[in-house]
Amino acid sequence: MTVSLEQLRRCHVAVDLGAARTRVFVKGTGLVVDEPSVAAVNTRTGALIAVGSFAERMTGRTPDYIRVMRPVSGGTVVDIEMAQRMLRHLLGEKLRRALRRKPRLRAAACTPHDAGPLAQRATVETMVGLGARRVELVDTLIAAAVGCGLPVEQPTATMIMVCGAAATQVAVLSLGSIVTAERVPVGGEAVDHAVVQHLRHQHELMLPSQAVRPLQLALHGNGLTAQGPASTLIHGRDVATGLARSVHVDTAAVRDAIHTPLMAVLDGIGKVLRTCPPDLVADLTDKGIMMVGGSALLPGLDQMLRERTGMPVHIAERPDVCAVLGLGAMLEGKISPMVLAPLSE
């Protein structure tokens, strides 16, 4: 763990800045913000027009002078100023005043496992701009494992897969630390792109940007399995004529299109297991893989991993908020570390 639990207990607020959603946990209150990491700006005046869900609904529907921005990409802040403005509006004036009353405001933030010094500095500066005097950084993999109830501090292997919008992180944890980890640049956005390209090439249909994820959720359950419906009706725009058109799409073909980019995730799991000590791999035979993250609910992903790896695959109860809830549990002192005291000689 990059920071001690004692330091985290002194923090007042926990933030998970994700590429898809931003979540804020306040100590003693709970989860107060769970909104898309999107901001809409008037390019003529520089004024912030909307943030969160309303700004996300504006994607692809704005005039030229309104720009919809995502200040976070792949778990890394790429626009510090815009991220600060977005966070201030998501928190609201009342909550900001309550946080400003803290004598020395401390914040904790999640960072990807392979985040470099510049990415970590960008996260720290974003929180400092909100009034934090000190910022503690916690690995997203450890925070997510704590949030879904895995015995992270025990001397036994736990395997977690954080399925994000821009990337997927796979790791084996033991004794509160990461034994081995791998980051695969394939996430929910890559799967969305695969669906869009399949419909464009096979059916000459252009799908609206806001309709890809609802399409996948509509097919969730038995939709993209061999026992599901053979076809589904999809509405979009004809590539050639530009007119609205509806087509019946073969769900088996959509399933194949989704599975193609996910093969990279399987390779990442294989790399982690090959570099992991054999004793820990033996522990994983029964425990399997715990999936967290917003993209963990992609239809057919858990079933494909079971078939290809031969290991049990579980999806967390609330996979999208596991990281920030785990960070919040550390802030409130609900996690007790396993103390390894030196033996007297």
Side-chain angles (χ1 to χ4, degrees):
M1 197 174 292
T2 56
V3 62
S4 69
L5 287 174
E6 186 60 35
Q7 291 173 309
L8 286 174
R9 289 193 188 101
R10 300 173 186 171
C11 295
H12 306 96
V13 60
V15 178
D16 180 15
L17 282 169
R21 299 184 74 88
T22 294
R23 300 174 177 94
V24 180
F25 184 99
V26 176
K27 189 175 183 179
T29 304
L31 189 65
V32 295
V33 174
D34 185 4
E35 293 283 339
S37 305
V38 187
V41 182
N42 188 326
T43 57
R44 295 174 181 172
T45 62
L48 194 64
I49 298 175
V51 295
S53 301
F54 186 59
E56 187 179 47
R57 291 198 301 269
M58 296 169 64
T59 304
R61 298 182 173 94
T62 60
D64 294 339
Y65 65 91
I66 296 179
R67 182 185 176 194
V68 179
M69 305 175 61
R70 290 185 176 270
V72 184
S73 176
T76 302
V77 179
V78 294
D79 190 333
I80 297 175
E81 180 185 358
M82 187 55 61
Q84 291 174 349
R85 295 174 68 184
M86 179 187 71
L87 266 176
R88 277 196 292 266
H89 282 79
L90 288 177
L91 287 172
E93 183 63 30
K94 182 179 179 181
L95 187 55
R96 291 206 310 272
R97 281 200 305 267
L99 292 177
R100 279 198 295 265
R101 295 194 194 103
K102 306 291 183 183
R104 287 183 60 84
L105 181 63
R106 290 183 174 224
C110 294
T111 56
H113 174 66
D114 60 346
L118 291 178
Q120 294 180 2
R121 183 178 178 84
T123 303
V124 170
E125 289 188 7
T126 301
M127 302 309 300
V128 169
L130 292 175
R133 300 293 186 90
R134 184 181 176 93
V135 181
E136 310 289 356
L137 300 180
V138 179
D139 198 301
T140 303
L141 290 165
I142 295 179
V146 171
C148 61
L150 293 178
V152 181
E153 298 292 339
Q154 298 300 317
T156 180
T158 54
M159 190 170 190
I160 188 165
M161 186 169 73
V162 180
C163 308
T168 300
Q169 302 175 72
V170 186
V172 174
L173 312 177
S174 180
L175 286 174
S177 299
I178 296 175
V179 178
T180 178
E182 188 75 23
R183 181 181 183 273
V184 182
V186 173
E189 294 175 353
V191 175
D192 292 347
H193 181 72
V195 174
V196 170
Q197 292 301 312
H198 168 76
L199 295 176
R200 185 184 182 95
H201 294 152
Q202 300 297 324
H203 301 276
E204 297 184 352
L205 191 73
M206 188 175 294
L207 199 65
S209 59
Q210 298 294 306
V212 180
R213 190 52 57 90
L215 167 64
Q216 295 177 1
L217 294 178
L219 296 174
H220 187 60
N222 292 328
L224 286 177
T225 62
Q227 295 78 23
S231 65
T232 184
L233 185 65
I234 296 178
H235 311 283
R237 189 182 74 182
D238 191 279
V239 174
T241 64
L243 300 176
R245 185 162 64 92
S246 301
V247 296
H248 284 276
V249 178
D250 183 15
T251 53
V254 177
R255 181 171 65 244
D256 294 339
I258 288 178
H259 284 187
T260 300
L262 294 179
M263 294 303 295
V265 177
L266 284 171
D267 294 338
I269 294 175
K271 289 180 182 178
V272 169
L273 293 176
R274 284 194 294 270
T275 57
C276 189
D279 291 339
L280 294 180
V281 176
D283 292 343
L284 296 174
T285 305
D286 297 328
K287 295 187 175 181
I289 306 171
M290 177 64 75
M291 294 173 56
V292 301
S295 299
L297 297 175
L298 287 174
L301 176 57
D302 55 339
Q303 181 180 352
M304 185 197 73
L305 292 178
R306 289 190 195 97
E307 294 174 353
R308 300 299 177 90
T309 63
M311 299 168 60
V313 178
H314 314 282
I315 300 178
E317 185 177 352
R318 300 179 65 187
D320 50 342
V321 295
C322 278
V324 71
L325 291 182
L327 205 51
M330 297 180 196
L331 263 63
E332 295 182 339
K334 296 180 179 178
I335 306 300
S336 57
M338 183 177 181
V339 181
L340 299 175
L343 301 176
S344 58
E345 297 181 0

